[in-house]
Amino acid sequence: MTAWRVTRPGPMASGPLEAARVPVPRPAAGELLVRVGVCGVCRTDLHVAEGDLPGHRPGVVPGHEVVGEVAELGADVAGFAVGDRVGIAWLRHTCGTCRFCERGRENLCPRSRYTGWDADGGYAEFAVVSAAYALALPAGYSDDELAPLLCAGLIGYHALARAEVPERGRLGIYGFGGSAHLTAQVAIARGATVHVVTRSAEARELALALGAASAGDAPPEPLDAAILFAPVGTLVPPALAALDRGGTLAIAGIHLSDVPPLNYQRHLFQERQVRSVTANTRAEAREFLDFAGRNHLSVSTVPYALADADRALTDLALDRVTGAAVLRAG
């Protein structure tokens, strides 16, 4: 099969990805072999390719927003059949026995493993996943639309929970890419007033079309909560300064550039707080996908052929993608 591997982590201009012909993986006991239809292009893939995240697997195949159909079942698999449409997401293994797993916070498991970082992902024609971590998908969406839900949607949903937006509260969203444009819709559906902060004219237009109350350089009123999607540490101080008393800033990225010094009175006093965001749990993933099935989300996608995976990541690196990029393997 054709697959893209991260062979030389570094800036996209240096060519960190390499297309190769590799054997089709075989499903072990408890695993599914999935024929990839579409794989979303996530900023985390960019961090893996460019080396912002330390390498966990030499020559790894990135991609963790995989929509496809079951092509083969490993031994002892129940609950799935060949031909089923399934999703493969970022979280692919937890130990189940540590104190975090026992508390229902498996996303903090110190022995967790991740698709497209610890194991090969979806920038390929086939991928394997444990049946215990494969996700059933809601009806009413195309494969292109479903793929971004599997990370952009999931992590945004988790970030929204971490931000603790009060009922009918005012939420600021900093950056408006694949995850933010989905999160904004969830927040609006729940009654929040959403203000988007982005430099992109196209992103501002999309934000307003999706129901944001404003889209510009700064929120026009104090915020009850905010989510930072842009991986830019210099945005943390102004985002905190925009919070009203008791407000929470959730930082949604797995990687963030350095945060400049904060002024306690201006940025943190009056019980303002900062929270980081890690991967979601499987229970949260199922909750979000159920929400998406009951509340149809408008998913803005930019399609690329699998053969153009390096171009898709380059466009993402240069902020040339409005919405979510997706790779079509079929």
Side-chain angles (χ1 to χ4, degrees):
M1 68 174 185
T2 296
W4 286 88
R5 302 182 301 174
V6 179
T7 55
R8 298 174 301 276
M12 287 306 300
S14 70
L17 291 183
E18 176 185 85
R21 296 291 294 176
V22 300
V24 174
R26 309 311 315 165
E31 291 186 335
L32 310 174
L33 175 66
V34 177
R35 179 179 290 104
V36 178
V38 173
C39 183
V41 178
C42 178
R43 191 163 290 275
T44 301
D45 303 333
L46 183 62
H47 294 318
V48 170
E50 295 199 317
D52 296 325
L53 295 177
H56 281 191
R57 178 184 174 93
V60 71
V61 176
H64 55 274
E65 297 177 326
V66 182
V67 175
E69 65 175 36
V70 177
E72 185 180 340
L73 304 176
D76 304 319
V77 169
F80 291 96
V82 171
D84 285 352
R85 186 164 69 160
V86 298
I88 303 175
W90 175 240
L91 185 68
R92 72 180 292 115
H93 171 82
T94 54
C95 73
T97 59
C98 70
R99 64 187 183 277
F100 300 106
C101 287
E102 290 180 345
R103 294 172 188 166
R105 303 188 71 185
E106 66 177 3
N107 57 321
L108 300 180
C109 174
R111 292 186 286 278
S112 55
R113 295 200 297 270
Y114 300 95
T115 307
W117 194 19
D118 297 291
D120 289 338
Y123 285 27
E125 294 177 286
F126 290 88
V128 295
V129 64
S130 168
Y133 289 79
L135 295 171
L137 300 172
Y141 293 87
S142 68
D143 286 1
D144 280 18
E145 293 171 321
L146 282 169
L149 300 185
L150 294 172
C151 181
L154 292 182
I155 204 64
Y157 190 77
H158 184 51
L160 196 58
R162 294 284 288 163
E164 292 190 341
V165 186
E167 185 176 357
R168 307 194 69 81
R170 300 156 298 176
L171 172 68
I173 290 180
Y174 290 77
F176 204 71
S179 187
H181 91 284
L182 297 171
T183 308
Q185 294 177 69
V186 176
I188 291 168
R190 290 176 167 178
T193 297
V194 171
H195 298 292
V196 171
V197 178
T198 177
R199 296 174 300 177
S200 166
E202 292 84 0
R204 290 179 180 183
E205 183 178 345
L206 177 61
L208 294 173
L210 292 175
S214 75
D217 296 322
E221 61 179 336
L223 303 172
D224 297 304
I227 304 174
L228 175 58
F229 286 102
V232 182
T234 54
L235 290 176
V236 171
L240 284 169
L243 292 176
D244 207 347
R245 298 177 178 216
T248 297
L249 170 64
I251 300 175
I254 193 173
H255 171 79
L256 187 72
S257 61
D258 289 345
V259 178
L262 300 176
N263 177 278
Y264 180 71
Q265 295 294 329
R266 187 182 313 128
H267 301 128
L268 295 172
F269 191 53
Q270 300 294 354
E271 300 191 359
R272 299 177 182 89
Q273 59 183 326
V274 183
R275 288 180 165 180
S276 65
V277 172
T278 308
N280 55 276
T281 65
R282 283 173 288 172
E284 204 168 27
R286 291 188 288 267
E287 181 181 299
F288 168 68
L289 292 172
D290 179 67
F291 177 92
R294 291 181 287 103
N295 301 268
H296 191 87
L297 302 175
S298 176
V299 187
S300 177
T301 61
V302 181
Y304 295 79
L306 177 61
D308 295 325
D310 54 347
R311 181 167 65 87
L313 271 187
T314 298
D315 286 348
L316 183 62
L318 297 175
D319 292 325
R320 294 195 297 228
V321 178
T322 299
V326 296
L327 302 178
R328 292 174 175 170

